[in-house]
Amino acid sequence: MKSRSYPLLFIVLVLGLSAGWYVASGRPVTVLAEQHKRSSPVQPLTPHQQAESELQTLQQKIDQSPQDSVLWAQLGEYYLFNDNFADAQAAYQRALALRGANAELYSALATVLYYQAGQRITPQVESNIAKALALDKDEVSALMLLAADAFMHTEYAKAISLWQRLLDSQSPRVNRPQLIEAINMAKLLLQNQ
């Protein structure tokens, strides 16, 4: 009888060790997570799907409130960040038509036109920046666009002056540490010219 219990004990021991190793490996958690993922009706969206979902939601809101200039501005921003300049321009123009003269919208439109023109300040860009600054002499986006363009064209003194103007404005829209870093970089490059 003793000889028959050893093989059974050996089988139980091997199965126990195997089961212990399997649990310790983390595999059961992974398998359960995968099963849950497959059985879940809601799958995580890819970045592209998420962007499309945001666009659809925004368009539905605009369909419900077509006179809401804020929604049109958000649509313009969505298109701008997705490099769809023609649609961004149309959305910002619609927002301006609904809201009337607005410094931030003129700046946003100037930004779209600037990128649409291959990062050049065209007469249209200039006109929109002038309209923005006429309404708000410290409009952040307008001044940032002018400063970035000056920096890109190695007009470091002009960029520094514009960035300093933004710092002095105390606007909550300004990222102060980032601007200080940009000013320091421009000063360094100006010294090396």
Side-chain angles (χ1 to χ4, degrees), residues 180-192:
I180 292 168
E181 188 178 314
I183 289 170
N184 290 336
M185 174 63 77
K187 284 179 179 177
L188 182 65
L189 293 169
L190 185 60
Q191 290 173 354
N192 293 329

Side-chain angles (χ1 to χ4, degrees), residues 93-134:
Q93 286 172 331
R94 178 74 175 153
L96 272 166
L98 292 168
R99 188 180 302 176
N102 178 280
E104 287 183 36
L105 288 176
Y106 282 127
S107 294
L109 187 54
T111 302
V112 169
L113 296 169
Y114 177 79
Y115 284 106
Q116 196 171 35
Q119 295 184 341
R120 289 182 307 113
I121 295 192
T122 64
Q124 262 190 314
V125 173
E126 250 180 61
S127 171
N128 282 289
I129 289 173
K131 289 175 186 176
L133 294 176

Side-chain angles (χ1 to χ4, degrees), residues 12 33 44 50 63 68 74 148 168 193:
V12 169
Q50 191 171 12
D63 288 343
D68 189 336
Q74 289 173 353
D168 294 343
Q193 268 188 328

Side-chain angles (χ1 to χ4, degrees), residues 16-75:
L17 288 174
S18 297
W21 176 82
Y22 181 73
V23 169
S25 72
R27 181 96 172 112
V29 173
T30 306
V31 169
L32 288 173
E34 185 61 30
Q35 285 176 343
H36 177 71
K37 185 176 161 186
R38 287 183 184 172
S39 67
S40 175
V42 179
Q43 296 295 318
L45 299 177
T46 66
H48 176 73
Q49 290 170 326
Q50 191 171 12
E52 285 298 313
S53 175
E54 289 172 20
L55 177 60
Q56 287 175 353
T57 300
L58 192 51
Q59 287 173 331
Q60 287 171 352
K61 287 179 181 178
I62 288 173
D63 288 343
Q64 293 169 357
S65 303
Q67 302 302 313
D68 189 336
S69 64
V70 172
L71 292 174
W72 283 100
Q74 289 173 353
L75 183 62

Side-chain angles (χ1 to χ4, degrees), residues 156-177:
Y156 302 123
K158 181 179 177 182
I160 292 166
S161 173
L162 289 164
W163 283 326
Q164 188 60 54
R165 181 173 162 185
L166 283 164
L167 281 177
D168 294 343
S169 76
Q170 300 294 320
S171 171
R173 293 175 53 206
V174 170
N175 182 331
R176 294 185 67 78

